[in-house]
Amino acid sequence: MSHLWEDVSLTFSQISMFPFFDIAHYLVSVMSMRGQSGAIALAWNNPFVSWFRAMLYCFGGGILSSLLLGEAPTKFLENSTNVLLASSIWYIVFYCPYDIVYKCYRFLPVQLMATGMREMGRTWKITTGITHASSNYTDAWMVLIAVGWARGAGGSVIINLEQSLRGVIRPESNKLLELSHSAKISLLGAILFTLQHTGDLPVPKHTLMFCFTLFIVVISLIMLLTECGSSPLSPLEAMLSRMLFGSRQQLFPGEPQKKLKSSFSGVKEENSSSASSNVENEIRNKKME
Amino acid sequence: MSHLWEDVSLTFSQISMFPFFDIAHYLVSVMSMRGQSGAIALAWNNPFVSWFRAMLYCFGGGILSSLLLGEAPTKFLENSTNVLLASSIWYIVFYCPYDIVYKCYRFLPVQLMATGMREMGRTWKITTGITHASSNYTDAWMVLIAVGWARGAGGSVIINLEQSLRGVIRPESNKLLELSHSAKISLLGAILFTLQHTGDLPVPKHTLMFCFTLFIVVISLIMLLTECGSSPLSPLEAMLSRMLFGSRQQLFPGEPQKKLKSSFSGVKEENSSSASSNVENEIRNKKME
Amino acid sequence: MSHLWEDVSLTFSQISMFPFFDIAHYLVSVMSMRGQSGAIALAWNNPFVSWFRAMLYCFGGGILSSLLLGEAPTKFLENSTNVLLASSIWYIVFYCPYDIVYKCYRFLPVQLMATGMREMGRTWKITTGITHASSNYTDAWMVLIAVGWARGAGGSVIINLEQSLRGVIRPESNKLLELSHSAKISLLGAILFTLQHTGDLPVPKHTLMFCFTLFIVVISLIMLLTECGSSPLSPLEAMLSRMLFGSRQQLFPGEPQKKLKSSFSGVKEENSSSASSNVENEIRNKKME
């Protein structure tokens, strides 16, 4: 039994990502880009910019981890096969007659399979990032975590940045300040695989890969099926957060945040000419009219 | 005749950019910076910041291509002669008594010559970028195109980024999403010179340099003289765009874009709390008052 | 006497920054982050993001100078002791029961000592940056100034960038365009130490370090005690600015800036659909209602 398990996880860890898992990753990425408001109009008006954004969604992890290591962020272009593959997927998703590809993708089993395969690819990305950083640069564990995390979650981070640059994300919405589910999952993975790499986690790499992949695939499929935005890990997260930071929140559980802030801080709110207060002033002025 | 042509194009390709063509480039760049609203007030209040922005306008191409190759973006500072030259031009453009330099520049022949020389310099920038990338790093053709493009059009790209950071570009205006004329021209040049470099375009380099330079100089002079914002290439561009992406637009040529988008996509507009809709809501609320 | 001075300044220049001066730097940085509006609420809601911002405040100089030299911006993570030190300080500043640390810090002598020690550290940062750049890369004096300046003032620059990305800084406020006091001081230091490095300033390095440190410590303590926002150097600065750029301002000393701009420039204000004018239009429209 133990032998069989060993075999399965070893074989599993040797699966090649190219081409099927890569295709699934590009498909899910481009679809999530298409789901954003304005993406389709953009594709009609500025195909080049739309293509560029699609590349950011597909290769964001590679770009971000290159940036963190001081490498050329254009490194992903060296693998022209993958770039062409991603470009073709972008093309058929946006310009296919009668939207066939999009309609097929809306069919649940297809979506489930693509999402599952993409999450599987995430494990590979994280481990590749850690191996690359440790073999070429340094063994500092913090750098390994950062690079692994960037490789796994890079897409979502870079997209947040890009949206913030374009001004889509408003400061009031605090979107930039929230970690997406995939960013959290990737952080967890990066920590685990770094611990395994430095030898603090006495588990063979392929076993960890198998278990972690199973874990994130199951979680993301559950999230997809139940259509709930919050991850199943959020209770755990809340507990951890309360353990580490929450002593005060327990003292005043009922009070709203605003009060907490003002009663505890005593900070001179010098920067009070910030965005939100401006908006408030505007509303007040209007009412006074 | 063929011999003469060969001689002319060869001599042409050996022209040194320093100092006259560089001066023309700095002059046109600083003038385009001065043409922006607020630039003169900035120069009076924060000379250092104004100088910094002028350097971005003048050396943007070098900075962006360094970033893409993972080099130090401060590399352009190593050539202190050029930096001092650009600084002097910035100084006389903004602080010259009675605005003599600016008034001279408004004289059409001067403007024509400076613009023509600057466009000539663009060819040199693109070829230098491609040679630098291919000799120091990689022969991946996509990287060569990216670096050549960045070197040629870097200024305008970096400035867009900078304006977006300062919030001058509003998300509604979609300025960040449009490629400027110089960016398009540089992209074309980068593709052509990369094809020549990889041997797919059986033309000697100096001939291509001569023809491409002639082409972009003529186009930019026409644009300057007719004072039209759209480039003479836009019909070609539209045709190409229709060939590649346009089948659907032909089906519904009369419909406005908004409808096209909603009728085809069926996408849940989840991010509908975006900037533009906020503005619309505000207007609606005001009307309801 | 001269011998004693030599001894004192030499001993002074050999003081180790770790751990006390580093602690002071982290403490002042985290405190200035805590002073910003919304920082405490952020710490409660998104501890990870708050921690990330604290790291930007503490290691901003290292990150920025790495970026300028084309190195890995994650280099600061290699020194995990310092990262853990900064993290602990972030933790006790934000989550300490009854805000003991914050209340202690509000006690003036503590604040004075921490600020003084931090300013002392700034000299070390600048010289380290210049030495690092010149030994590993280049001796171009402009690069040395840029790197020394980035190392000394990096925190404030990176934070401005970050706030601009989040949209906290509004284009109307022009905050991004102003150099903070520490940025100016660091620029001065970077220029002085670069001159010393290239041999143009015939002073031994340790003497210069001693004098410059004394100078910035005294200035920042004065600023802290008098609670005035403008630095004691601003008259000097204004004089220098008038000498270099100010001939026109002297001609029309009474006129407001807006007029100066329009009467002198004659620039077609093409980008007049900019942020500020939009706001003005809105106000006008409201009045017309």
Side-chain angles (χ1 to χ4, degrees):
Chain A
M1 184 63 201
S2 141
H3 193 66
L4 180 71
W5 164 260
E6 194 77 359
D7 269 10
V8 166
S9 63
L10 202 60
T11 317
F12 176 81
S13 75
Q14 283 157 357
I15 293 175
S16 164
M17 284 296 109
F18 184 81
F20 298 113
F21 292 87
D22 284 340
I23 288 178
H25 172 60
Y26 302 147
L27 188 65
V28 177
S29 304
V30 173
M31 280 297 172
S32 81
M33 172 187 155
R34 198 192 138 125
Q36 295 206 321
S37 75
I40 296 166
L42 179 67
W44 290 112
N45 300 329
N46 289 298
F48 180 79
V49 176
S50 174
W51 174 80
F52 185 76
R53 283 185 67 198
M55 293 302 106
L56 280 188
Y57 273 72
C58 291
F59 299 99
I63 295 172
L64 193 65
S65 65
S66 296
L67 284 176
L68 289 186
L69 289 171
E71 287 177 349
T74 48
K75 227 184 167 186
F76 76 95
L77 290 173
E78 286 179 26
N79 191 344
S80 41
T81 321
N82 277 25
V83 177
L84 291 177
L85 196 62
S87 304
S88 334
I89 286 168
W90 162 79
Y91 189 82
I92 59 167
V93 164
F94 277 100
Y95 302 107
C96 183
Y98 308 109
D99 249 350
I100 296 171
V101 179
Y102 184 70
K103 277 170 191 159
C104 290
Y105 183 77
R106 302 276 295 173
F107 183 51
L108 196 61
V110 175
Q111 212 171 345
L112 283 179
M113 209 180 89
T115 309
M117 284 169 82
R118 190 234 195 148
E119 291 301 319
M120 237 183 98
R122 198 184 293 283
T123 313
W124 266 250
K125 277 181 207 302
I126 296 172
T127 51
T128 315
I130 291 174
T131 315
H132 177 72
S134 91
S135 65
N136 294 30
Y137 297 91
T138 170
D139 261 323
W141 58 275
M142 284 185 178
V143 179
L144 295 190
I145 291 179
V147 173
W149 176 70
R151 197 68 173 263
S156 67
V157 173
I158 278 209
I159 287 149
N160 266 6
L161 263 179
E162 186 252 346
Q163 291 192 330
S164 159
L165 266 181
R166 287 194 302 130
V168 173
I169 295 180
R170 286 281 172 113
E172 297 97 64
S173 71
N174 267 338
K175 269 270 177 80
L176 191 60
L177 303 176
E178 277 165 32
L179 286 178
S180 64
H181 167 69
S182 63
K184 280 175 192 161
I185 282 287
S186 302
L187 185 58
L188 181 66
I191 293 172
L192 286 178
F193 285 105
T194 301
L195 287 178
Q196 194 276 329
H197 186 89
T198 55
D200 292 316
L201 204 71
V203 180
K205 196 177 172 184
H206 53 87
T207 314
L208 186 61
M209 281 174 79
F210 189 71
C211 298
F212 183 71
T213 308
L214 210 69
F215 171 69
I216 59 174
V217 168
V218 166
I219 280 192
S220 60
L221 292 189
I222 289 175
M223 280 178 69
L224 198 69
L225 285 172
T226 58
E227 287 194 348
C228 74
S230 68
S231 95
L233 293 176
S234 46
L236 252 174
E237 220 179 274
M239 207 190 70
L240 195 73
S241 167
R242 190 163 295 178
M243 256 173 60
L244 286 171
F245 312 110
S247 50
R248 266 187 219 163
Q249 281 178 323
Q250 287 178 325
L251 289 174
F252 301 80
E255 275 194 295
Q257 230 152 45
K258 199 88 187 192
K259 283 219 171 155
L260 247 178
K261 192 177 128 200
S262 58
S263 61
F264 274 112
S265 63
V267 179
K268 281 181 289 176
E269 303 252 344
E270 296 160 336
N271 302 17
S272 64
S273 68
S274 74
S276 58
S277 65
N278 276 352
V279 171
E280 285 170 22
N281 287 338
E282 258 185 35
I283 294 168
R284 224 172 287 147
N285 293 342
K286 244 179 261 175
K287 284 188 185 159
M288 287 174 75
E289 282 173 12
Chain B
M1 184 62 201
S2 140
H3 194 66
L4 180 71
W5 163 260
E6 195 76 359
D7 268 9
V8 167
S9 63
L10 203 60
T11 317
F12 177 80
S13 74
Q14 283 157 358
I15 293 175
S16 163
M17 283 297 109
F18 184 82
F20 299 113
F21 291 87
D22 283 340
I23 288 179
H25 172 61
Y26 302 147
L27 188 66
V28 177
S29 304
V30 174
M31 280 297 174
S32 81
M33 171 186 156
R34 198 194 137 125
Q36 295 206 322
S37 74
I40 296 165
L42 179 67
W44 289 111
N45 299 327
N46 288 296
F48 180 79
V49 176
S50 174
W51 173 80
F52 184 76
R53 282 184 69 197
M55 293 303 106
L56 280 188
Y57 274 72
C58 292
F59 299 99
I63 295 172
L64 193 65
S65 66
S66 297
L67 284 176
L68 288 187
L69 289 170
E71 286 177 347
T74 48
K75 227 184 166 187
F76 76 95
L77 291 173
E78 286 178 26
N79 191 345
S80 41
T81 320
N82 277 26
V83 176
L84 292 177
L85 196 62
S87 304
S88 334
I89 286 168
W90 162 78
Y91 188 81
I92 58 167
V93 165
F94 277 100
Y95 303 106
C96 183
Y98 308 109
D99 249 350
I100 296 171
V101 178
Y102 184 69
K103 278 170 192 159
C104 290
Y105 183 77
R106 300 278 295 174
F107 184 51
L108 196 61
V110 176
Q111 212 170 345
L112 282 180
M113 209 179 89
T115 308
M117 285 169 81
R118 190 233 194 149
E119 291 301 319
M120 237 183 97
R122 198 184 294 282
T123 312
W124 266 249
K125 277 181 207 304
I126 295 172
T127 51
T128 315
I130 290 174
T131 314
H132 178 71
S134 91
S135 64
N136 293 31
Y137 297 91
T138 170
D139 261 324
W141 57 274
M142 283 185 177
V143 178
L144 295 191
I145 291 180
V147 173
W149 176 70
R151 196 69 172 264
S156 67
V157 173
I158 278 209
I159 288 149
N160 266 4
L161 263 180
E162 187 252 346
Q163 291 193 328
S164 159
L165 267 181
R166 287 193 303 129
V168 172
I169 295 181
R170 285 283 171 110
E172 295 97 66
S173 70
N174 267 338
K175 270 268 177 81
L176 192 61
L177 302 176
E178 276 165 32
L179 286 178
S180 65
H181 167 69
S182 63
K184 281 174 192 162
I185 283 287
S186 301
L187 185 59
L188 181 67
I191 292 172
L192 285 178
F193 285 104
T194 301
L195 286 179
Q196 194 278 328
H197 185 89
T198 55
D200 292 315
L201 203 72
V203 181
K205 195 178 172 184
H206 53 87
T207 314
L208 186 61
M209 280 174 80
F210 189 72
C211 298
F212 184 71
T213 308
L214 210 71
F215 172 69
I216 60 174
V217 167
V218 168
I219 280 191
S220 60
L221 292 188
I222 289 175
M223 279 178 70
L224 198 69
L225 285 171
T226 59
E227 287 194 348
C228 74
S230 68
S231 94
L233 294 176
S234 47
L236 252 173
E237 220 178 274
M239 207 190 71
L240 196 73
S241 167
R242 190 163 297 178
M243 255 172 61
L244 286 171
F245 313 109
S247 50
R248 266 188 218 163
Q249 281 179 322
Q250 287 179 325
L251 289 173
F252 301 79
E255 274 194 297
Q257 231 152 45
K258 199 88 188 191
K259 283 219 171 155
L260 246 177
K261 193 176 126 199
S262 57
S263 60
F264 274 112
S265 62
V267 178
K268 281 182 289 177
E269 303 252 345
E270 297 159 335
N271 300 18
S272 64
S273 68
S274 73
S276 59
S277 66
N278 276 351
V279 171
E280 284 170 23
N281 287 338
E282 259 183 36
I283 294 168
R284 226 171 286 148
N285 294 341
K286 244 178 262 172
K287 284 189 185 159
M288 287 173 74
E289 282 173 12
Chain C
M1 184 60 200
S2 139
H3 193 65
L4 180 71
W5 163 261
E6 195 77 359
D7 269 9
V8 166
S9 63
L10 202 59
T11 317
F12 176 80
S13 74
Q14 284 158 357
I15 293 175
S16 164
M17 284 297 108
F18 184 83
F20 299 113
F21 291 87
D22 283 340
I23 288 178
H25 171 61
Y26 302 146
L27 188 65
V28 177
S29 304
V30 174
M31 280 298 173
S32 80
M33 172 186 154
R34 196 193 140 126
Q36 295 206 323
S37 74
I40 295 165
L42 178 67
W44 290 112
N45 300 328
N46 288 297
F48 180 79
V49 176
S50 174
W51 173 81
F52 185 76
R53 282 185 68 198
M55 293 302 106
L56 280 187
Y57 273 72
C58 292
F59 299 99
I63 296 172
L64 193 65
S65 65
S66 297
L67 284 176
L68 288 186
L69 289 171
E71 286 177 347
T74 47
K75 226 184 167 188
F76 76 95
L77 290 174
E78 286 180 27
N79 190 345
S80 41
T81 320
N82 276 26
V83 177
L84 291 177
L85 196 62
S87 303
S88 335
I89 286 168
W90 162 78
Y91 188 82
I92 58 167
V93 165
F94 277 99
Y95 303 106
C96 183
Y98 308 110
D99 248 351
I100 295 170
V101 179
Y102 184 70
K103 278 170 191 159
C104 289
Y105 183 78
R106 302 275 296 174
F107 184 51
L108 197 60
V110 175
Q111 212 171 345
L112 283 180
M113 209 179 88
T115 308
M117 285 169 81
R118 189 231 196 151
E119 291 301 318
M120 238 183 98
R122 198 184 293 282
T123 312
W124 266 250
K125 277 181 206 304
I126 296 171
T127 51
T128 315
I130 291 174
T131 314
H132 178 71
S134 91
S135 64
N136 294 30
Y137 297 92
T138 169
D139 261 324
W141 57 275
M142 283 184 176
V143 179
L144 295 191
I145 291 180
V147 173
W149 176 70
R151 196 68 174 264
S156 67
V157 173
I158 278 209
I159 287 149
N160 265 6
L161 263 180
E162 187 252 347
Q163 292 193 329
S164 158
L165 267 182
R166 286 193 302 130
V168 172
I169 296 181
R170 286 281 171 114
E172 296 97 64
S173 71
N174 266 337
K175 270 267 178 81
L176 192 60
L177 303 175
E178 277 165 33
L179 285 178
S180 65
H181 167 70
S182 63
K184 281 174 191 162
I185 283 286
S186 302
L187 185 59
L188 181 67
I191 292 172
L192 286 178
F193 284 106
T194 301
L195 286 178
Q196 194 277 328
H197 186 88
T198 55
D200 292 315
L201 203 71
V203 180
K205 194 177 172 184
H206 52 86
T207 314
L208 186 61
M209 280 174 80
F210 188 71
C211 298
F212 183 72
T213 308
L214 209 70
F215 171 70
I216 60 174
V217 168
V218 167
I219 280 191
S220 60
L221 293 188
I222 289 176
M223 279 178 69
L224 199 68
L225 285 172
T226 59
E227 286 193 351
C228 74
S230 68
S231 94
L233 294 176
S234 48
L236 253 174
E237 219 179 275
M239 207 190 70
L240 195 74
S241 168
R242 189 162 297 177
M243 255 173 60
L244 286 171
F245 312 109
S247 51
R248 266 187 217 165
Q249 281 179 321
Q250 287 178 325
L251 289 174
F252 301 78
E255 275 194 295
Q257 232 153 47
K258 199 88 187 192
K259 284 222 170 152
L260 247 177
K261 193 178 127 198
S262 57
S263 60
F264 274 113
S265 62
V267 179
K268 281 182 288 176
E269 303 252 342
E270 295 159 338
N271 302 15
S272 65
S273 68
S274 74
S276 58
S277 65
N278 276 352
V279 170
E280 284 170 22
N281 287 338
E282 259 184 36
I283 294 169
R284 224 172 288 147
N285 293 341
K286 244 179 261 173
K287 284 188 184 159
M288 286 174 74
E289 284 173 12

